[in-house]
PDB file of all heavy atoms in Angstrom:
ATOM      1  N   GLU A 164     -11.512  19.027  -3.061  1.00 95.00           N
ATOM      2  CA  GLU A 164     -11.237  20.120  -2.138  1.00 95.00           C
ATOM      3  C   GLU A 164     -10.590  19.586  -0.845  1.00 95.00           C
ATOM      4  O   GLU A 164      -9.645  20.153  -0.369  1.00 95.00           O
ATOM      5  CB  GLU A 164     -12.493  20.863  -1.789  1.00 95.00           C
ATOM      6  CG  GLU A 164     -12.363  22.044  -0.874  1.00 95.00           C
ATOM      7  CD  GLU A 164     -13.649  22.763  -0.483  1.00 95.00           C
ATOM      8  OE1 GLU A 164     -14.718  22.317  -1.042  1.00 95.00           O
ATOM      9  OE2 GLU A 164     -13.613  23.662   0.352  1.00 95.00           O
ATOM     10  N   ARG A 165     -11.095  18.545  -0.310  1.00 94.00           N
ATOM     11  CA  ARG A 165     -10.642  17.885   0.904  1.00 94.00           C
ATOM     12  C   ARG A 165     -11.317  16.559   1.013  1.00 94.00           C
ATOM     13  O   ARG A 165     -12.377  16.311   0.443  1.00 94.00           O
ATOM     14  CB  ARG A 165     -10.897  18.716   2.136  1.00 94.00           C
ATOM     15  CG  ARG A 165     -12.355  19.119   2.291  1.00 94.00           C
ATOM     16  CD  ARG A 165     -12.664  19.921   3.532  1.00 94.00           C
ATOM     17  NE  ARG A 165     -14.052  20.408   3.466  1.00 94.00           N
ATOM     18  CZ  ARG A 165     -15.086  19.685   3.757  1.00 94.00           C
ATOM     19  NH1 ARG A 165     -15.030  18.427   4.081  1.00 94.00           N
ATOM     20  NH2 ARG A 165     -16.323  20.262   3.684  1.00 94.00           N
ATOM     21  N   GLU A 166     -10.794  15.732   1.851  1.00 94.00           N
ATOM     22  CA  GLU A 166     -11.430  14.486   2.201  1.00 94.00           C
ATOM     23  C   GLU A 166     -12.837  14.696   2.741  1.00 94.00           C
ATOM     24  O   GLU A 166     -13.039  15.532   3.507  1.00 94.00           O
ATOM     25  CB  GLU A 166     -10.605  13.637   3.203  1.00 94.00           C
ATOM     26  CG  GLU A 166     -11.055  12.219   3.331  1.00 94.00           C
ATOM     27  CD  GLU A 166     -10.137  11.410   4.232  1.00 94.00           C
ATOM     28  OE1 GLU A 166     -10.090  11.772   5.445  1.00 94.00           O
ATOM     29  OE2 GLU A 166      -9.457  10.512   3.862  1.00 94.00           O
ATOM     30  N   LYS A 167     -13.786  13.898   2.200  1.00 94.00           N
ATOM     31  CA  LYS A 167     -15.207  13.998   2.576  1.00 94.00           C
ATOM     32  C   LYS A 167     -16.016  15.016   1.797  1.00 94.00           C
ATOM     33  O   LYS A 167     -17.226  15.037   1.853  1.00 94.00           O
ATOM     34  CB  LYS A 167     -15.448  14.196   4.072  1.00 94.00           C
ATOM     35  CG  LYS A 167     -14.974  12.991   4.916  1.00 94.00           C
ATOM     36  CD  LYS A 167     -15.370  13.252   6.414  1.00 94.00           C
ATOM     37  CE  LYS A 167     -14.931  12.079   7.272  1.00 94.00           C
ATOM     38  NZ  LYS A 167     -15.381  12.315   8.673  1.00 94.00           N
ATOM     39  N   ALA A 168     -15.284  15.901   1.081  1.00 94.00           N
ATOM     40  CA  ALA A 168     -16.028  16.929   0.290  1.00 94.00           C
ATOM     41  C   ALA A 168     -16.789  16.205  -0.881  1.00 94.00           C
ATOM     42  O   ALA A 168     -16.251  15.235  -1.445  1.00 94.00           O
ATOM     43  CB  ALA A 168     -15.056  18.000  -0.226  1.00 94.00           C
ATOM     44  N   THR A 169     -17.923  16.745  -1.247  1.00 93.00           N
ATOM     45  CA  THR A 169     -18.722  16.055  -2.293  1.00 93.00           C
ATOM     46  C   THR A 169     -18.096  16.244  -3.735  1.00 93.00           C
ATOM     47  O   THR A 169     -18.532  15.514  -4.623  1.00 93.00           O
ATOM     48  CB  THR A 169     -20.096  16.676  -2.367  1.00 93.00           C
ATOM     49  OG1 THR A 169     -20.038  18.112  -2.496  1.00 93.00           O
ATOM     50  CG2 THR A 169     -20.833  16.407  -1.006  1.00 93.00           C
ATOM     51  N   ASP A 170     -17.021  17.045  -3.927  1.00 94.00           N
ATOM     52  CA  ASP A 170     -16.390  17.078  -5.172  1.00 94.00           C
ATOM     53  C   ASP A 170     -15.278  16.098  -5.367  1.00 94.00           C
ATOM     54  O   ASP A 170     -14.583  16.054  -6.409  1.00 94.00           O
ATOM     55  CB  ASP A 170     -15.827  18.513  -5.449  1.00 94.00           C
ATOM     56  CG  ASP A 170     -14.631  18.885  -4.550  1.00 94.00           C
ATOM     57  OD1 ASP A 170     -14.545  18.296  -3.453  1.00 94.00           O
ATOM     58  OD2 ASP A 170     -13.772  19.688  -4.984  1.00 94.00           O
ATOM     59  N   VAL A 171     -14.999  15.307  -4.353  1.00 97.00           N
ATOM     60  CA  VAL A 171     -13.897  14.261  -4.448  1.00 97.00           C
ATOM     61  C   VAL A 171     -14.263  13.192  -5.407  1.00 97.00           C
ATOM     62  O   VAL A 171     -15.276  12.556  -5.202  1.00 97.00           O
ATOM     63  CB  VAL A 171     -13.605  13.725  -3.022  1.00 97.00           C
ATOM     64  CG1 VAL A 171     -12.550  12.629  -3.158  1.00 97.00           C
ATOM     65  CG2 VAL A 171     -13.121  14.800  -2.068  1.00 97.00           C
ATOM     66  N   GLY A 172     -13.449  13.059  -6.418  1.00 97.00           N
ATOM     67  CA  GLY A 172     -13.618  12.009  -7.426  1.00 97.00           C
ATOM     68  C   GLY A 172     -12.347  11.137  -7.458  1.00 97.00           C
ATOM     69  O   GLY A 172     -11.375  11.321  -6.752  1.00 97.00           O
ATOM     70  N   ILE A 173     -12.415  10.135  -8.417  1.00 98.00           N
ATOM     71  CA  ILE A 173     -11.220   9.281  -8.603  1.00 98.00           C
ATOM     72  C   ILE A 173     -10.511   9.805  -9.843  1.00 98.00           C
ATOM     73  O   ILE A 173     -11.077   9.908 -10.997  1.00 98.00           O
ATOM     74  CB  ILE A 173     -11.680   7.825  -8.809  1.00 98.00           C
ATOM     75  CG1 ILE A 173     -12.480   7.332  -7.633  1.00 98.00           C
ATOM     76  CG2 ILE A 173     -10.513   6.975  -9.090  1.00 98.00           C
ATOM     77  CD1 ILE A 173     -11.795   7.362  -6.294  1.00 98.00           C
ATOM     78  N   TRP A 174      -9.165   9.982  -9.675  1.00 98.00           N
ATOM     79  CA  TRP A 174      -8.326  10.597 -10.794  1.00 98.00           C
ATOM     80  C   TRP A 174      -7.378   9.563 -11.272  1.00 98.00           C
ATOM     81  O   TRP A 174      -6.983   8.654 -10.518  1.00 98.00           O
ATOM     82  CB  TRP A 174      -7.627  11.802 -10.239  1.00 98.00           C
ATOM     83  CG  TRP A 174      -8.516  12.980  -9.947  1.00 98.00           C
ATOM     84  CD1 TRP A 174      -9.340  13.131  -8.854  1.00 98.00           C
ATOM     85  CD2 TRP A 174      -8.742  14.068 -10.823  1.00 98.00           C
ATOM     86  NE1 TRP A 174     -10.046  14.334  -8.966  1.00 98.00           N
ATOM     87  CE2 TRP A 174      -9.696  14.950 -10.147  1.00 98.00           C
ATOM     88  CE3 TRP A 174      -8.173  14.577 -12.009  1.00 98.00           C
ATOM     89  CZ2 TRP A 174     -10.109  16.137 -10.737  1.00 98.00           C
ATOM     90  CZ3 TRP A 174      -8.608  15.727 -12.572  1.00 98.00           C
ATOM     91  CH2 TRP A 174      -9.567  16.506 -11.932  1.00 98.00           C
ATOM     92  N   PHE A 175      -6.909   9.734 -12.462  1.00 98.00           N
ATOM     93  CA  PHE A 175      -6.139   8.663 -13.108  1.00 98.00           C
ATOM     94  C   PHE A 175      -5.085   9.205 -14.074  1.00 98.00           C
ATOM     95  O   PHE A 175      -5.322  10.324 -14.628  1.00 98.00           O
ATOM     96  CB  PHE A 175      -7.119   7.797 -13.979  1.00 98.00           C
ATOM     97  CG  PHE A 175      -6.510   6.623 -14.679  1.00 98.00           C
ATOM     98  CD1 PHE A 175      -6.213   5.461 -14.021  1.00 98.00           C
ATOM     99  CD2 PHE A 175      -6.232   6.695 -16.090  1.00 98.00           C
ATOM    100  CE1 PHE A 175      -5.628   4.413 -14.712  1.00 98.00           C
ATOM    101  CE2 PHE A 175      -5.724   5.665 -16.721  1.00 98.00           C
ATOM    102  CZ  PHE A 175      -5.429   4.485 -16.096  1.00 98.00           C
ATOM    103  N   SER A 176      -3.980   8.583 -14.111  1.00 97.00           N
ATOM    104  CA  SER A 176      -2.843   9.056 -15.017  1.00 97.00           C
ATOM    105  C   SER A 176      -2.121   7.780 -15.502  1.00 97.00           C
ATOM    106  O   SER A 176      -2.029   6.746 -14.872  1.00 97.00           O
ATOM    107  CB  SER A 176      -1.930   9.999 -14.296  1.00 97.00           C
ATOM    108  OG  SER A 176      -0.809  10.368 -15.128  1.00 97.00           O
ATOM    109  N   ARG A 177      -1.467   7.931 -16.713  1.00 95.00           N
ATOM    110  CA  ARG A 177      -0.703   6.808 -17.334  1.00 95.00           C
ATOM    111  C   ARG A 177       0.709   7.264 -17.607  1.00 95.00           C
ATOM    112  O   ARG A 177       0.894   8.396 -18.070  1.00 95.00           O
ATOM    113  CB  ARG A 177      -1.431   6.371 -18.592  1.00 95.00           C
ATOM    114  CG  ARG A 177      -2.873   5.976 -18.367  1.00 95.00           C
ATOM    115  CD  ARG A 177      -3.711   5.979 -19.676  1.00 95.00           C
ATOM    116  NE  ARG A 177      -3.330   4.886 -20.557  1.00 95.00           N
ATOM    117  CZ  ARG A 177      -2.898   4.978 -21.761  1.00 95.00           C
ATOM    118  NH1 ARG A 177      -2.805   6.257 -22.349  1.00 95.00           N
ATOM    119  NH2 ARG A 177      -2.619   3.979 -22.498  1.00 95.00           N
ATOM    120  N   LEU A 178       1.653   6.409 -17.374  1.00 90.00           N
ATOM    121  CA  LEU A 178       3.030   6.711 -17.635  1.00 90.00           C
ATOM    122  C   LEU A 178       3.389   6.228 -19.009  1.00 90.00           C
ATOM    123  O   LEU A 178       3.357   5.042 -19.348  1.00 90.00           O
ATOM    124  CB  LEU A 178       3.979   5.962 -16.603  1.00 90.00           C
ATOM    125  CG  LEU A 178       5.465   6.255 -16.748  1.00 90.00           C
ATOM    126  CD1 LEU A 178       5.770   7.723 -16.540  1.00 90.00           C
ATOM    127  CD2 LEU A 178       6.296   5.356 -15.746  1.00 90.00           C
ATOM    128  N   ARG A 179       3.745   7.188 -19.888  1.00 85.00           N
ATOM    129  CA  ARG A 179       4.077   6.840 -21.320  1.00 85.00           C
ATOM    130  C   ARG A 179       5.316   7.580 -21.709  1.00 85.00           C
ATOM    131  O   ARG A 179       5.391   8.812 -21.498  1.00 85.00           O
ATOM    132  CB  ARG A 179       2.884   7.257 -22.220  1.00 85.00           C
ATOM    133  CG  ARG A 179       1.579   6.428 -22.007  1.00 85.00           C
ATOM    134  CD  ARG A 179       1.739   4.989 -22.423  1.00 85.00           C
ATOM    135  NE  ARG A 179       0.503   4.135 -22.194  1.00 85.00           N
ATOM    136  CZ  ARG A 179       0.215   3.585 -21.118  1.00 85.00           C
ATOM    137  NH1 ARG A 179       1.021   3.641 -20.042  1.00 85.00           N
ATOM    138  NH2 ARG A 179      -0.880   2.895 -21.025  1.00 85.00           N
ATOM    139  N   ASP A 180       6.234   6.861 -22.322  1.00 79.00           N
ATOM    140  CA  ASP A 180       7.499   7.445 -22.778  1.00 79.00           C
ATOM    141  C   ASP A 180       8.162   8.296 -21.736  1.00 79.00           C
ATOM    142  O   ASP A 180       8.754   9.315 -21.990  1.00 79.00           O
ATOM    143  CB  ASP A 180       7.175   8.295 -24.039  1.00 79.00           C
ATOM    144  CG  ASP A 180       6.636   7.506 -25.198  1.00 79.00           C
ATOM    145  OD1 ASP A 180       7.024   6.301 -25.353  1.00 79.00           O
ATOM    146  OD2 ASP A 180       5.715   7.976 -25.888  1.00 79.00           O
ATOM    147  N   GLY A 181       8.114   7.712 -20.490  1.00 78.00           N
ATOM    148  CA  GLY A 181       8.857   8.462 -19.387  1.00 78.00           C
ATOM    149  C   GLY A 181       8.139   9.628 -18.792  1.00 78.00           C
ATOM    150  O   GLY A 181       8.671  10.275 -17.922  1.00 78.00           O
TER     151      GLY A 181
END
Side-chain angles (χ1 to χ4, degrees):
E164 179 184 356
R165 54 177 171 77
E166 190 176 65
K167 293 186 179 182
T169 56
D170 71 331
V171 173
I173 303 299
W174 292 77
F175 182 79
S176 179
R177 304 162 70 237
L178 182 62
R179 294 294 181 269
D180 299 322

